Amino acid sequence: MADQVAVTPQQAVNQVFGLYETRGGDDYIGEPVSQLEHMWQAAALAEAAGADEEVVLAAFFHDLGHLCAPDVAADSMAGFGAVNHERLGADYLRARGFSERVARLVESHVLAKRYLTYKYPSYLRQLSEASLATLAFQGGVMSAAEAAAFEQDPDADLMLQLRRWDEQAKETDQPVGRLDHLKVLALRHLQRA
């Protein structure tokens, strides 16, 4: 577990959303959208599906590790972002007081990809070039034993849904709405914690 950073909920929101303000416009590593566009679309899909606030936040934060990585070039997946970005993002959120559920969902989106490539070989063919390229760095297709363990997780279905939103959130020409709504959700979440 990440060491807790001594910040107020408002400071934590400012820190997290500051990453989007400074690095959100960066290329989303081989995809036709920016980091912010991708994560905004994932959150919008979660919200449209009626997901609860923690799930909407996890959808928005799922690739935060690419933004908070100290030096992407030093620990990169051949130019496709930070190695272990899912863990980096989850630990960053934990350290700022976000719930374990939000952190676990952020951390799970790579496991869900690996599971889907095992369970549904056709899913592998649906992955974008960038997503295929990163799969090798992320452990590749799950083994049968790993898949059986994944299926035992009580949040497995939710993790898979988050992954599906991740894959869908690559549409071009989708304007990013104001972040105020997500900031309010994040602040409320942290104040409850």
Side-chain angles (χ1 to χ4, degrees):
M1 183 172 251
D3 292 331
Q4 193 77 9
V5 176
V7 295
T8 67
Q10 185 62 59
Q11 289 169 324
V13 169
N14 293 345
Q15 288 175 1
V16 173
F17 283 84
L19 293 171
Y20 289 93
E21 291 165 11
T22 58
R23 299 197 52 207
D26 292 357
D27 173 57
Y28 177 52
I29 312 151
E31 300 291 359
V33 293
S34 71
Q35 295 276 356
L36 178 58
E37 288 169 329
H38 172 63
M39 290 185 262
W40 171 266
Q41 288 178 30
L45 288 164
E47 204 155 40
D52 66 52
E53 290 182 1
E54 285 186 316
V55 175
V56 171
L57 287 171
F60 184 66
F61 295 145
H62 78 275
D63 275 337
L64 184 69
H66 290 306
L67 304 182
C68 69
D71 184 3
V72 173
D75 200 13
S76 171
M77 296 181 286
F80 289 104
V83 173
N84 295 321
H85 74 281
E86 69 280 8
R87 190 167 308 119
L88 291 170
D91 287 346
Y92 187 90
L93 293 167
R94 284 182 183 109
R96 281 152 187 81
F98 285 86
S99 72
E100 184 58 24
R101 182 175 185 232
V102 169
R104 279 193 76 239
L105 289 172
V106 165
E107 200 164 27
S108 74
H109 76 282
V110 168
L111 283 177
K113 174 171 115 175
R114 294 183 60 228
Y115 172 80
L116 287 167
T117 58
Y118 164 80
K119 187 77 173 179
Y120 306 103
S122 62
Y123 179 80
L124 189 62
R125 294 187 295 277
Q126 296 171 16
L127 292 177
S128 68
E129 240 181 84
S131 203
L132 271 173
T134 59
L135 182 60
F137 290 96
Q138 296 165 335
V141 175
M142 273 189 176
S143 68
E146 289 172 315
F150 179 87
E151 290 168 347
Q152 297 306 307
D153 192 301
D155 284 330
D157 288 341
L158 188 52
M159 293 170 178
L160 294 173
Q161 183 56 58
L162 183 68
R163 181 67 204 181
R164 289 182 185 102
W165 293 324
D166 179 7
E167 289 299 331
Q168 294 169 11
K170 299 172 184 177
E171 296 295 321
T172 57
D173 302 319
Q174 297 289 319
V176 173
R178 294 179 53 212
L179 296 181
D180 293 347
H181 170 64
L182 292 169
K183 288 179 181 179
V184 167
L185 293 185
L187 184 59
R188 187 165 53 219
H189 171 81
L190 289 167
Q191 289 171 334
R192 284 187 207 136

